[in-house]
Amino acid sequence: MKIVVLDGYGMNPGDMSWEPLADLGELVVYDRTSAGELMERARGAEALLTNKTVLSGDTLRSLAGLKYVGVLATGYNVVDVDTARELGIVVTNIPAYSTDSVAQMVFSHLLSIVTRVEHYTAENRNGRWSDSPDFVYWDTPLHELSGKTFGIIGLGNIGTSVARIARAFGMKVKAFTSKNPAELPEGVKKVELDELFRTADVLSLHCPLTDGTRHIVNESRLKLMKPTAILINTGRGPLIDEDALAKALNAGSIYAAGLDVLSCEPPRRDNPVLSARNCFITPHLGWATVEARERLLKIAVDNLKAYISGAPRNNVAV
């Protein structure tokens, strides 16, 4: 069986071994694959593995020998699943591999915003503390998390993990979720969406991207938020209307935002949040810890083994 990894660099820039996949067949790994290179590289493969390389319906129909697509991520919108189902192509994803890593990124952003460790480190490297007449200085607001209200939109695996950590910090947790109140973790209160925007000191996004959640953070809802509120997004970029967020930050309508995802990745240079006041942005790193990527690769291998054995697992094209 020929196995082709279309864009392996994002998941494995060289610090992990592809050998477990190579043990399953003839393996070819490409760092990146452009649209113009796709057909030539995919032709003859029974199994394609992709992270962000798009496999449209037309592409799937043109690859007669293709029987399996492994998405190296949880989201699988890069594959035309309806066409794959029609053609009998198995499409698998990687669920729940990065829960702890993404939850950690939420609090990396939050703690960075409320303590500004990087800012003070840079200032001290430039001699500011050494030149200070006092034993201490600060020029940013410093706040405790304990007692604040942490709001969560979406209470799946990651949202639930984030709720647990927020409670460990002594925060009150509210959530907008489809779950019944009886199903919620201990200490989590279910509320309506507008109440969540009005009352949250920190608001973190963990819902899937759908037509109903696209721009769930928009101009009207940003106006509901406290001027001291902090918005965190480690979910999907299009959950936020970025023009509206930039305006709210620059006007001081909300205090800060920590974003690990944007609506277009990599972003255009003119994306307004890149230069917005108190907007802290990381390049979609939440999933990328060594431990999470090792789990991802193991699950990808296990998915392919299950397909080979005739009992596919994590098949989203059913």
Side-chain angles (χ1 to χ4, degrees):
M1 176 176 63
K2 184 177 180 181
I3 307 163
V4 176
V5 179
L6 293 170
D7 50 2
Y9 186 86
M11 185 202 81
N12 179 12
D15 57 349
M16 295 189 300
S17 172
W18 292 108
E19 186 173 348
L21 270 179
D23 290 340
L24 302 180
E26 175 194 349
L27 177 67
V28 181
V29 178
Y30 297 101
D31 284 347
R32 303 167 188 86
T33 295
S34 68
E37 296 168 327
L38 176 57
M39 290 306 300
E40 179 183 351
R41 292 181 173 183
R43 192 171 289 111
E46 179 178 340
L48 290 178
L49 275 66
T50 178
N51 190 329
K52 300 300 181 188
T53 302
V54 175
L55 298 176
S56 67
D58 288 342
T59 298
L60 295 175
R61 288 190 179 93
S62 299
L63 297 171
L66 183 63
K67 302 298 181 185
Y68 176 91
V69 173
V71 180
L72 299 172
T74 302
Y76 47 88
N77 58 300
V78 296
V79 181
D80 186 332
V81 174
D82 291 336
T83 299
R85 185 182 302 113
E86 172 191 326
L87 297 173
I89 298 171
V90 172
V91 180
T92 64
N93 73 332
I94 315 287
Y97 72 94
S98 62
T99 298
D100 291 336
S101 293
V102 176
Q104 179 176 295
M105 178 60 79
V106 170
F107 287 90
S108 295
H109 270 283
L110 180 54
L111 292 171
S112 173
I113 289 168
V114 298
T115 61
R116 298 294 299 276
V117 169
E118 184 178 5
H119 164 71
Y120 291 105
T121 297
E123 290 289 288
N124 293 339
R125 284 176 176 161
N126 290 327
R128 184 170 177 185
W129 196 12
S130 299
D131 296 338
S132 173
D134 304 302
F135 80 97
V136 63
Y137 73 90
W138 65 90
D139 57 9
T140 66
L142 304 173
H143 293 287
E144 288 184 349
L145 297 179
S146 181
K148 302 291 193 302
T149 297
F150 195 106
I152 301 173
I153 298 179
L155 211 58
N157 290 329
I158 296 173
T160 299
S161 182
V162 167
R164 174 179 53 80
I165 298 170
R167 291 194 67 226
F169 273 105
M171 304 184 78
K172 296 172 285 187
V173 180
K174 296 180 179 180
F176 177 75
T177 173
S178 60
K179 292 182 177 180
N180 296 321
E183 299 177 291
L184 301 187
E186 181 181 357
V188 178
K189 179 182 179 183
K190 180 175 180 174
V191 297
E192 294 301 318
L193 192 58
D194 284 355
E195 179 183 344
L196 195 65
F197 274 87
R198 279 194 298 267
T199 60
D201 296 298
V202 181
L203 183 60
S204 191
L205 309 182
H206 300 288
C207 54
L209 177 62
T210 66
D211 290 341
T213 61
R214 185 178 298 272
H215 287 189
I216 195 169
V217 178
N218 53 37
E219 182 177 5
S220 61
R221 291 200 175 106
L222 285 164
K223 288 179 179 178
L224 298 175
M225 297 182 76
K226 301 176 182 180
T228 54
I230 298 168
L231 176 67
I232 308 290
N233 189 14
T234 58
R236 293 290 182 264
L239 295 172
I240 295 176
D241 179 338
E242 290 168 347
D243 289 330
L245 175 59
K247 290 176 183 177
L249 288 167
N250 290 331
S253 301
I254 69 170
Y255 174 62
L259 310 177
D260 189 48
V261 290
L262 294 178
S263 59
C264 178
E265 298 174 351
R268 300 185 310 274
R269 288 183 177 271
D270 62 352
N271 186 319
V273 297
L274 292 175
S275 57
R277 171 184 172 273
N278 281 354
C279 192
F280 304 90
I281 302 172
T282 47
H284 205 145
L285 295 175
W287 66 281
T289 62
V290 171
E291 293 81 2
R293 290 185 295 111
E294 286 175 343
R295 281 192 294 271
L296 189 159
L297 183 56
K298 182 181 185 303
I299 296 170
V301 171
D302 289 345
N303 282 348
L304 188 51
K305 285 180 178 178
Y307 158 76
I308 293 170
S309 73
R313 50 177 279 185
N314 297 321
N315 184 8
V316 298
V318 292

